[in-house]
Amino acid sequence: MRRMHVGGWLGGAVALAGCVAQPHLDGPLPVRNQHPAQLTVLHLPPASTTPLGAGALTTRVDAAYSNMYLFGSGPTGSGYRMDGEYLRVGPHLAVGLGSGFQADVELPFAHTSGGFLDDFVIGYHNAFGLPDQGRNTNPRDDFDVAATKNGIPAWHVDSAALELLDVPIGLTWQCCTVEPGRLGVALRAGIEFPTGNEHRGYGNGEIDTSLGLLLEYHVWDVGWYGHVQHTFAGTPESARVAGLHFADVTSAGLAAELPLGDTLNGFVQVEWETSTLRELAIPVAERDQLLLWLGGRLRVDEQWGVELGFGEDLIGNVSPDFTAWLGIAWLPGQRTVGP
């Protein structure tokens, strides 16, 4: 039923896109999975293959707020608990280097707490008949994120008002320019520095590296974007002591950007990724993760844009239940590509 609703929404939006006189396609929403363990691993966000021109820059601030609830255990004394709410805020800067190259850097911070959305999420799940893992029977608005390996505490996240996370830097090179009827291709690589506190759960204490590929195609006045990447993940010291290795993460995603008006674009995006906690060998930790995002981008003027998105897990009992995402972008150097 959920897939039918999404398919109908997408079909109607594609038809509406054809009515826009001069659509602007600026690339997908740079959203990501807010699972606390996945946040310790470098993730290169969805992006357009079109780089900024030499010397041009854009800046943006993204904020994602997630409600989480997940409990599971295994026969060997391994277990995972995830209850609370997580806010990630990331100021971001992109600079065009010329010759098809672009550099990106982000300075992300986190705020965690028991939150206030438990009652809303319980009602939302009840209304749509979604599983809630016994949420109704547990205390509301608690915070508890921890992993245990063979009965030994292996990793946890402390509740914090403000914590610096690991800092990622990315480099993208466009090798095939996107044009009407022609596939755009870009290669990219990233490195993430261990600036987050690994002992409090806001980093993994090691340098992560990642390699990826971006694809872009314009048809029917719609921008289609794909990405695939693999990250070589570090492991926090506490996890290593307990015999838990944080696994590398492979991810892939697909996004559609649909012009709904001269200044408004809609988005449907999905992303799949492997779990970095899969060596816990319990279902709630080892399952792959798949998220659906619905959102929009409003260009306030030629230089400012506001973005809003909502994320929902498509594989139950693994990812954060619900994520609200807000982006504010200053785009003086943005090279807008039309289909």
Side-chain angles (χ1 to χ4, degrees):
M1 180 64 69
R2 182 186 299 180
R3 293 177 181 174
M4 293 176 61
H5 287 312
V6 172
W9 186 94
L10 180 59
V14 169
L16 183 59
C19 301
V20 179
Q22 293 181 327
H24 296 278
L25 302 175
D26 295 328
L29 302 178
V31 292
R32 66 170 297 175
N33 186 355
Q34 287 266 112
H35 189 296
Q38 303 295 110
L39 286 177
T40 69
V41 179
L42 170 60
H43 177 271
L44 302 175
S48 169
T49 62
T50 304
L52 299 175
L57 62 86
T58 65
T59 61
R60 58 181 302 120
V61 177
D62 301 324
Y65 193 86
S66 294
N67 180 275
M68 312 171 297
Y69 187 87
L70 186 67
F71 286 79
S73 59
T76 62
S78 297
Y80 186 69
R81 308 188 303 274
M82 186 170 75
D83 184 11
E85 294 181 8
Y86 199 117
L87 171 66
R88 182 182 187 274
V89 179
H92 174 273
L93 174 68
V95 180
L97 304 178
S99 301
F101 285 90
Q102 176 179 308
D104 297 78
V105 61
E106 186 181 27
L107 188 66
F109 293 86
H111 166 80
T112 55
S113 68
F116 60 95
L117 289 176
D118 281 354
D119 285 331
F120 166 78
V121 174
I122 289 170
Y124 168 75
H125 282 192
N126 289 340
F128 289 92
L130 302 174
D132 68 358
Q133 270 207 312
R135 236 183 222 273
N136 279 308
T137 62
N138 277 0
R140 305 288 198 269
D141 304 330
D142 281 353
F143 185 87
D144 182 17
V145 178
T148 303
K149 176 75 170 179
N150 296 325
I152 303 173
W155 179 76
H156 72 281
V157 179
D158 290 338
S159 178
L162 185 68
E163 284 281 348
L164 176 65
L165 300 173
D166 292 345
V167 171
I169 296 177
L171 180 67
T172 302
W173 174 59
Q174 183 188 51
C175 51
C176 294
T177 303
V178 61
E179 298 176 1
R182 178 183 176 182
L183 182 68
V185 181
L187 305 176
R188 59 181 178 171
I191 185 170
E192 188 169 72
F193 296 98
T195 52
N197 190 327
E198 65 171 308
H199 303 293
R200 293 176 56 83
Y202 294 96
N204 59 31
E206 298 185 349
I207 292 177
D208 291 353
T209 56
S210 184
L211 297 173
L213 174 72
L214 295 173
L215 302 173
E216 181 174 352
Y217 191 72
H218 298 168
V219 64
W220 304 322
D221 292 341
V222 176
W224 298 89
Y225 309 94
H227 73 274
V228 62
Q229 62 187 279
H230 182 82
T231 296
F232 302 92
T235 299
E237 180 183 5
S238 60
R240 291 197 303 270
V241 171
L244 173 63
H245 175 258
F246 274 39
D248 294 347
V249 174
T250 302
S251 62
L254 180 65
E257 181 179 12
L258 310 113
L260 304 178
D262 291 338
T263 60
L264 177 64
N265 288 8
F267 294 87
V268 179
Q269 301 182 198
V270 292
E271 182 168 15
W272 160 87
E273 65 184 17
T274 59
S275 171
T276 193
L277 292 179
R278 58 185 181 270
E279 289 193 7
L280 275 178
I282 55 177
V284 299
E286 66 184 357
R287 291 192 188 102
D288 293 347
Q289 302 176 30
L290 180 65
L291 278 82
L292 167 70
W293 294 89
L294 301 177
R297 174 185 294 128
L298 176 66
R299 269 191 174 264
V300 180
D301 58 29
E302 287 300 315
Q303 293 193 348
W304 287 95
V306 178
E307 302 164 353
L308 184 66
F310 298 95
E312 175 70 26
D313 57 319
L314 296 182
I315 299 177
N317 297 335
V318 59
S319 300
D321 289 317
F322 172 82
T323 299
W325 185 87
L326 173 67
I328 300 175
W330 182 52
L331 310 166
Q334 180 73 36
R335 183 194 301 176
T336 301
V337 179

